[in-house]
Amino acid sequence: MRALSILCVLLWLYESSLANRNCPDLIVDSCHCSAERSKELSRQHTVRVKVVCEDVDLMDTLQPSFVPNTTVSLNLSNNKISLLRNGSFYGLVALEKLDLRNNLISTVEPGAFRGLLTLRRLDLSNNRIGCLSPEMFLDLSNLSKLNLSGNIFSTLTVGLFTHLVALRVLHFHTETLFCDCQLKWLLLWARSNAVRIGNETVCVFPTHLHGLEFRNLREQQLRCDGPLEMPLFQLIPSQRQLVFRGDRLPLQCTASYLDPSLELRWRHNGHVVTTQEDQGVFVEETLLHDCCLLTSEVILSNIDVAIAGIWECLVTSFRGNTSQQMEIVVLETSAPYCPTDRVTNNKGDFR
């Protein structure tokens, strides 16, 4: 029994020395790594290194030169990484598993995973990724499992996974997932390439498919001829605004970008709004954010009584139209008004 205990201690010391020898300083003190011998039968005993930098407030990925080139698993989850640059992990030729979940990633540059020819598992879940392109996945020809769930996209473009020829498991559930004709290609591609869609990947929109597992849908259910439904559509401010003559008021309208036919327009008292500098009305250029949100803004400067009335943001697309509106009431600067009265109690703050 004593001999067995001594053997265990010696084995632990050997593993520790092995880890120390193959895990140089990672610059970030709170990161740690471990090393183990490969279980494969061969004359050369290769070392498999696992690096963990979880929940250490990293703002960026580690430089590949800081990580042992024998690393097979790299965990960068639960940090504050927002950008994956081209070649972020270049040089980690042995990497098999990369965990980037629960970060703030919104941009993944083409070639971000360049050089990761042995990568088999990639977790990008619970980030803020809205823009995806096939070039993101260059060199991932051996990737077998990909998790994209918990991001902000509503749909996935045709041919997105062209480079992932070995993919077998795919997760892509989001809070705004729209199961329509634009995802028909994915259903057919997954079935013809023996790719299993995770059972937690369910439709959120349209309403009649809400909660259904994507992998169990029929091709005929993925249509774009239903009534227009918006995962997000908001007008700020949304309530009646009481303003004085000469004031400035911005109006902002944001809607989910479901397809290229979708446009945002403004109307005032039923009439189309365009920039009119002489009246202090400026319609800003419509912007597309993260490939999934369309935003339009109207600036009302030096407000006059002609600005009063109903202001409406109109969404138009081949699926149909919808709108939201609010009212503006303009007062003369000479108009009498009561001073502000503020009451705070256990039920809240009231004015």
Side-chain angles (χ1 to χ4, degrees):
M1 187 69 181
R2 183 179 179 184
L4 182 60
S5 299
I6 293 174
L7 181 61
C8 289
V9 170
L10 289 174
L11 183 61
W12 178 82
L13 289 173
Y14 173 76
E15 295 290 347
S16 297
S17 65
L18 187 65
N20 292 332
R21 188 165 65 249
N22 292 283
C23 297
D25 186 5
L26 293 174
I27 306 302
V28 182
D29 294 335
S30 47
C31 292
H32 64 275
C33 70
S34 59
E36 60 183 25
R37 288 175 297 173
S38 174
K39 296 180 181 179
E40 296 180 2
L41 296 176
S42 64
R43 292 184 178 180
Q44 292 184 338
H45 295 290
T46 57
V47 177
R48 296 170 59 84
V49 176
K50 298 181 180 180
V51 178
V52 178
C53 296
E54 182 181 11
D55 196 16
V56 292
D57 292 332
L58 285 179
M59 306 294 289
D60 202 351
T61 57
L62 299 177
Q63 292 186 30
S65 59
F66 294 166
V67 181
N69 58 13
T70 53
T71 299
V72 296
S73 175
L74 178 59
N75 185 345
L76 300 177
S77 64
N78 297 289
N79 284 293
K80 299 177 181 178
I81 300 168
S82 60
L83 168 66
L84 298 182
R85 298 181 180 83
N86 179 10
S88 287
F89 309 97
Y90 191 77
L92 301 180
V93 295
L95 199 62
E96 298 175 4
K97 180 181 179 181
L98 179 57
D99 190 345
L100 290 161
R101 59 197 159 95
N102 299 324
N103 274 280
L104 303 173
I105 301 169
S106 59
T107 302
V108 182
E109 293 183 355
F113 307 107
R114 186 165 54 90
L116 302 185
L117 298 174
T118 60
L119 194 69
R120 298 184 182 280
R121 300 181 65 177
L122 174 60
D123 194 339
L124 289 166
S125 61
N126 299 323
N127 281 283
R128 292 193 52 77
I129 302 171
C131 296
L132 299 104
S133 69
E135 291 71 31
M136 283 174 48
F137 305 115
L138 287 172
D139 282 358
L140 299 184
S141 56
N142 280 306
L143 193 73
S144 61
K145 184 175 182 179
L146 174 64
N147 193 342
L148 295 171
S149 292
N151 283 284
I152 62 173
F153 56 82
S154 298
T155 190
L156 297 172
T157 55
V158 177
L160 179 62
F161 306 118
T162 299
H163 301 291
L164 305 183
V165 294
L167 194 65
R168 291 296 172 264
V169 181
L170 175 64
H171 305 267
F172 60 94
H173 176 71
T174 73
E175 293 182 354
T176 58
L177 188 63
F178 212 110
C179 296
D180 62 3
C181 63
Q182 296 184 105
L183 283 182
K184 184 182 294 186
W185 76 270
L186 183 54
L187 186 69
L188 299 176
W189 173 85
R191 289 174 180 172
S192 63
N193 289 276
V195 176
R196 183 172 66 84
I197 306 296
N199 56 11
E200 83 291 346
T201 300
V202 299
C203 301
V204 180
F205 296 94
T207 303
H208 70 276
L209 296 180
H210 181 83
L212 298 183
E213 294 181 14
F214 180 82
R215 64 180 181 179
N216 293 332
L217 294 178
R218 299 188 306 276
E219 182 182 349
Q220 296 77 7
Q221 291 178 281
L222 296 172
R223 306 192 310 269
C224 289
D225 55 359
L228 177 62
E229 291 186 50
M230 303 295 299
L232 176 66
F233 182 29
Q234 63 179 15
L235 175 61
I236 300 176
S238 59
Q239 304 296 321
R240 174 188 294 176
Q241 297 296 298
L242 192 64
V243 297
F244 285 99
R245 189 172 183 175
D247 281 354
R248 179 182 183 276
L249 180 66
L251 307 179
Q252 186 182 78
C253 184
T254 302
S256 296
Y257 184 67
L258 299 178
D259 59 70
S261 73
L262 193 139
E263 293 182 356
L264 296 181
R265 298 175 183 174
W266 291 93
R267 291 195 298 209
H268 176 221
N269 292 333
H271 301 288
V272 176
V273 176
T274 57
T275 295
Q276 302 176 62
E277 295 186 21
D278 58 325
Q279 296 184 28
V281 178
F282 299 90
V283 180
E284 302 293 327
E285 181 181 357
T286 301
L287 299 176
L288 179 61
H289 302 278
D290 298 319
C291 301
C292 58
L293 292 177
L294 209 58
T295 298
S296 180
E297 191 171 33
V298 172
I299 307 295
L300 305 177
S301 62
N302 194 24
I303 287 176
D304 193 76
V305 291
I307 296 298
I310 302 299
W311 285 81
E312 181 180 22
C313 177
L314 176 67
V315 173
T316 64
S317 80
F318 74 84
R319 304 164 193 255
N321 305 332
T322 186
S323 67
Q324 289 195 15
Q325 60 185 33
M326 51 83 70
E327 182 183 5
I328 296 178
V329 177
V330 182
L331 298 178
E332 294 288 348
T333 53
S334 59
Y337 60 92
C338 300
T340 306
D341 190 10
R342 182 172 181 173
V343 177
T344 302
N345 55 34
N346 62 350
K347 293 184 179 180
D349 189 7
F350 303 93
R351 294 187 182 185

